Amino acid sequence: SLKWIQIVVNSCPELINSRIRTVCQLPEGTSISWVSPKADDELSEYRDSDFLLRLGIKLEERPLSSFWPRRGPQWDGLARSDTGLVFLVEAKSHVTELLSRGTEATGASKDLIERSLADLQSYVKAKPAIRWSEAFYQYANRMAHLYLLRILNHIPAYLVSLYFMGDQETEGPETEGEWREVLKLVKGAMGLGSRHRLAQYAVDIFVDVSEIEELVARRGVASR
């Protein structure tokens, strides 16, 4: 998935920008600019306070350090709009990428994670069948950071889960329907209903890698 998000962000970002505008119900003229992963920044990914710096935002009401320990989520992509919206992006191309193991944190760090996840669960009224710190932890910690930004700090943030279809290298899902079936099971196990209180800000978009390949090929022809 890293390969495809790097290609699409640097070669044909409008392919995903248009989907983000649609699913987030943004005006058609909303401009979205990517701050990572950028070719002129060594395709770097960011985490902890660095991702906040890249997005140019400050957590004035609830600081990151009081919510999550160091070595938190490393974001596959970060973007912002000309209207001040921020987008935290996680990309997947295979189902197994959703089946993340639990946190490896211990002691005070794990206690902080557990408290923050419990706060999030209470806010969205989740009734999980599993502990979020032990299964589907990656999605849970991304949701937690959305909660931190949008609810605790009133920053207009979105969590964008980007699912690639037709990745022959990983033999991942071929269709949006396949992805949606898996996501239904995952979110069901996490106790997240389709209308939870963060649902409109935690969005899913789907891109077929053949679309990316076609646009990149066209660009190559046009530049000759």
Side-chain angles (χ1 to χ4, degrees), residues 31-155:
S31 176
I32 298 174
S33 301
W34 290 80
V35 299
S36 75
K38 297 290 288 181
D40 59 5
D41 186 35
E42 300 181 335
L43 301 173
S44 298
E45 299 173 7
Y46 294 90
R47 71 193 323 163
D48 298 340
S49 59
D50 289 336
F51 93 86
L52 300 174
L53 289 172
R54 292 297 296 178
L55 288 168
I57 56 179
K58 295 181 179 180
L59 305 186
E60 304 282 3
E61 298 177 57
R62 177 71 182 272
L64 178 59
S65 59
S66 72
F67 183 81
W68 210 263
R70 288 181 57 80
R71 299 199 62 76
Q74 180 164 297
W75 299 100
D76 292 335
L78 299 169
R80 56 181 304 130
S81 77
D82 57 346
T83 55
L85 306 176
V86 299
F87 304 95
L88 312 176
V89 183
E90 182 69 24
K92 306 289 184 199
S93 64
H94 195 275
V95 170
T96 55
E97 294 178 279
L98 286 171
L99 309 177
S100 58
R101 59 188 179 185
T103 178
E104 296 180 355
T106 59
S109 293
K110 186 174 183 180
D111 290 343
L112 180 57
I113 289 170
E114 295 281 13
R115 287 197 302 272
S116 295
L117 290 179
D119 288 348
L120 168 60
Q121 288 178 358
S122 176
Y123 180 78
V124 298
K125 296 181 170 56
K127 296 180 179 179
I130 43 80
R131 290 177 67 87
W132 286 6
S133 61
E134 296 176 0
F136 308 123
Y137 173 64
Q138 190 179 80
Y139 187 73
N141 65 40
R142 268 64 172 174
M143 280 285 294
H145 281 67
L146 171 66
Y147 171 67
L148 171 66
L149 266 60
R150 182 167 274 276
I151 305 305
L152 301 184
N153 284 281
H154 304 99
I155 291 170

Side-chain angles (χ1 to χ4, degrees), residues 173-208:
E174 294 287 335
T175 67
E176 180 177 328
E178 289 179 60
W179 269 122
R180 288 194 180 278
E181 284 299 314
V182 175
L183 293 171
K184 183 178 180 180
L185 292 173
V186 169
K187 293 176 184 181
M190 294 181 71
L192 292 171
S194 60
R195 298 182 180 179
H196 66 78
R197 296 174 72 185
L198 284 174
Q200 63 182 312
Y201 310 118
V203 300
D204 301 325
I205 64 174
F206 305 86
V207 176
D208 197 305

